[in-house]
Amino acid sequence: MEKTLVYACRTKDREVLAKSSSGGAFTAISDYFLDRGDAVLCSAYNYDEHRARFGLVFTKEERDAARGSMYMQSYALDSWKEGLMWLRQNPDRMLLFTGTGCQGAAFRKFMEMNGMAKRAFIVDLICHGAPSPKIWAEYARSLEREGRLSNLNFKNKKTGWSKSVGTVCRGGEEISIRKYRRIYTDRYTIRPSCHVCPYTRIDRETDITIGDFWHMEKSMPDFVDEMGTSLVLIHTERGEELFDKIKDKLDCRESNTVDCWQLNLEEPTKPSEIRHKFWSDYRKHGIDYCMEHYGSVTLMRRIERKIKKMLP
Ligand SMILES: Cc1cc2nc3c(=O)[nH]c(=O)nc-3n(C[C@H](O)[C@H](O)[C@H](O)COP(=O)(O)OP(=O)(O)OC[C@H]3O[C@@H](n4cnc5c(N)ncnc54)[C@H](O)[C@@H]3O)c2cc1C
């Protein structure tokens, strides 16, 4: 396709919107494949291992468990091979893949090498960077000392999408994981390769890219919704065809590559200036020390943040 098509959209189903990290584009797209009897290869959280892992999904119930952004690198394990085998065994079916930009590019290559590129529809995510899965797993285990975890939600919209909070249930009680979110957004734990990511751009080799539509209050204030909006970038003709088929499930507005701008569509996230100090402290003092020390906001930092927000 000559140029990328850009849309702001959100699912018309308010219950799905509340459970999705952005505007529910993933659910709308995957519904289309699942309704036809196709398979979806995506990531879900595993509470026994405390890690995100890719897996093949055939039902909406299984897919629902994959909703929500998980701020950790997801493990592919054998799932891509399983996807390939499933395609071989089901020659008239398609496979939808969802993952970060690097995973989408790798999966596309894998499908090409196996002569299956036409049968894999690839959706990638805009990505700030995937944090170390080891740090999350250790933190989760440390929280679990006081009760089993469930209902993990890195982007809980109970206070709205723009003020979303990280939460998890422990022994039935909801607790905050804001310290973990802070060390992620402060860039201490993002994997080194993410800081030189070649997929932080608008044009990609996948069919569709999805993410959050930020700064809408400037470009389309009458379309803002406090429960979040998806940004959808369409790169291929079959991506456009698919979007036409699912459009009636979404409230949509056409946009452009200027109004949808965000940093990770232009360049990778820069590493924190004190990243090495975080890791050295982690090796010396362990996870609890680092969460307390780097995850808490001191009065000085709160003032710094307020001033930054006030600047144009
Ligand atoms: C680590 C990470 C960083 C992100 N950074 C940005 C950003 O800077 N800007 C932005 O606009 N959007 C970012 N996103 C994407 C955004 O948060 C939403 O995931 C995306 O818009 C899809 O939302 P949704 O409402 O359509 O779907 P949801 O129903 O929320 O589904 C989320 C989809 O993402 C997949 N997924 C979740 N976690 C992972 C993971 N760790 N690895 C691989 N796949 C995963 C799920 O399998 C599912 O397919 C990021 C996502 C992740 C996982």
Side-chain angles (χ1 to χ4, degrees):
M1 242 167 46
E2 253 175 50
K3 71 174 186 102
T4 303
L5 302 175
V6 184
Y7 288 94
C9 63
R10 78 180 69 88
T11 169
K12 290 178 181 167
D13 185 330
R14 301 299 291 182
E15 216 175 294
V16 171
L17 181 62
K19 288 179 184 155
S20 305
S21 289
S22 304
F26 165 65
T27 299
I29 296 171
S30 51
D31 268 353
Y32 175 79
F33 287 91
L34 294 172
D35 284 342
R36 288 159 36 108
D38 293 331
V40 177
L41 183 52
C42 58
S43 294
Y45 189 72
N46 182 302
Y47 284 91
D48 294 324
E49 299 169 343
H50 286 306
R51 63 181 176 178
R53 53 189 295 172
F54 277 89
L56 271 181
V57 160
F58 301 99
T59 67
K60 291 190 183 174
E61 211 172 46
E62 292 168 322
R63 182 278 317 279
D64 290 354
R67 280 208 197 104
S69 308
M70 290 158 279
Y71 294 140
M72 69 197 78
Q73 168 110 23
S74 178
Y75 287 83
L77 306 169
D78 281 336
S79 65
W80 296 12
K81 274 194 231 152
E82 285 161 19
L84 177 65
M85 268 153 62
W86 184 83
L87 280 173
R88 285 190 178 139
Q89 285 156 7
N90 297 274
D92 53 348
R93 300 260 65 97
M94 287 281 290
L95 177 79
L96 166 69
F97 174 92
T98 330
T100 56
C102 53
Q103 292 161 344
F107 191 73
R108 189 182 67 88
K109 195 89 209 143
F110 177 62
M111 287 286 112
E112 265 173 23
M113 281 161 49
N114 287 286
M116 290 284 177
K118 285 203 177 111
R119 296 180 53 208
F121 190 97
I122 302 181
V123 172
D124 67 343
L125 305 169
I126 303 174
C127 184
H128 176 70
S132 153
K134 178 181 165 76
I135 291 290
W136 166 259
E138 278 203 22
Y139 180 51
R141 283 194 196 103
S142 135
L143 292 176
E144 213 160 42
R145 286 198 291 255
E146 289 174 41
R148 178 132 173 104
L149 302 185
S150 63
N151 293 10
L152 176 61
N153 191 344
F154 287 94
K155 247 171 129 177
N156 186 330
K157 296 180 185 170
K158 64 180 182 179
T159 43
W161 168 84
S162 61
K163 295 189 193 89
S164 76
V165 287
T167 57
V168 68
C169 285
R170 183 171 58 189
E173 188 200 343
E174 187 176 278
I175 58 165
S176 165
I177 48 166
R178 67 174 172 277
K179 288 180 182 163
Y180 180 80
R181 272 207 6 177
R182 193 155 298 132
I183 63 155
Y184 172 49
T185 47
D186 282 350
R187 301 164 286 127
Y188 303 129
T189 55
I190 291 177
R191 308 198 70 191
S193 53
C194 300
H195 298 305
V196 289
C197 175
Y199 305 104
T200 46
R201 51 177 211 243
I202 283 183
D203 61 305
R204 313 225 183 163
E205 284 157 18
T206 55
D207 293 295
I208 292 183
T209 301
I210 57 175
D212 292 305
F213 203 114
W214 291 358
H215 315 303
M216 282 179 71
E217 57 293 347
K218 289 183 193 141
S219 57
M220 45 179 105
D222 60 322
F223 196 58
V224 172
D225 187 305
E226 240 317 277
M227 288 309 276
T229 305
S230 286
L231 166 60
V232 173
L233 303 169
I234 302 170
H235 310 291
T236 59
E237 268 155 34
R238 66 178 185 167
E240 192 179 0
E241 273 164 34
L242 172 83
F243 195 67
D244 272 347
K245 287 182 186 140
I246 62 166
K247 243 181 180 169
D248 62 326
K249 303 263 168 41
L250 305 163
D251 286 319
C252 285
R253 286 280 177 93
E254 197 165 351
S255 183
N256 57 68
T257 51
V258 176
D259 290 343
C260 74
W261 184 89
Q262 58 168 281
L263 184 74
N264 294 124
L265 284 176
E266 189 172 302
E267 59 181 69
T269 301
K270 291 199 168 49
S272 158
E273 296 75 17
I274 55 165
R275 185 183 193 281
H276 63 283
K277 188 164 180 323
F278 173 93
W279 283 96
S280 141
D281 279 345
Y282 165 70
R283 279 179 210 110
K284 262 192 240 149
H285 307 294
I287 194 73
D288 291 341
Y289 171 88
C290 282
M291 281 297 158
E292 213 38 55
H293 189 75
Y294 292 89
S296 305
V297 182
T298 60
L299 182 63
M300 199 56 207
R301 284 184 67 198
R302 233 177 274 159
I303 296 169
E304 257 175 41
R305 272 166 200 234
K306 279 244 157 77
I307 295 172
K308 259 193 195 164
K309 272 196 185 154
M310 279 154 59
L311 292 173

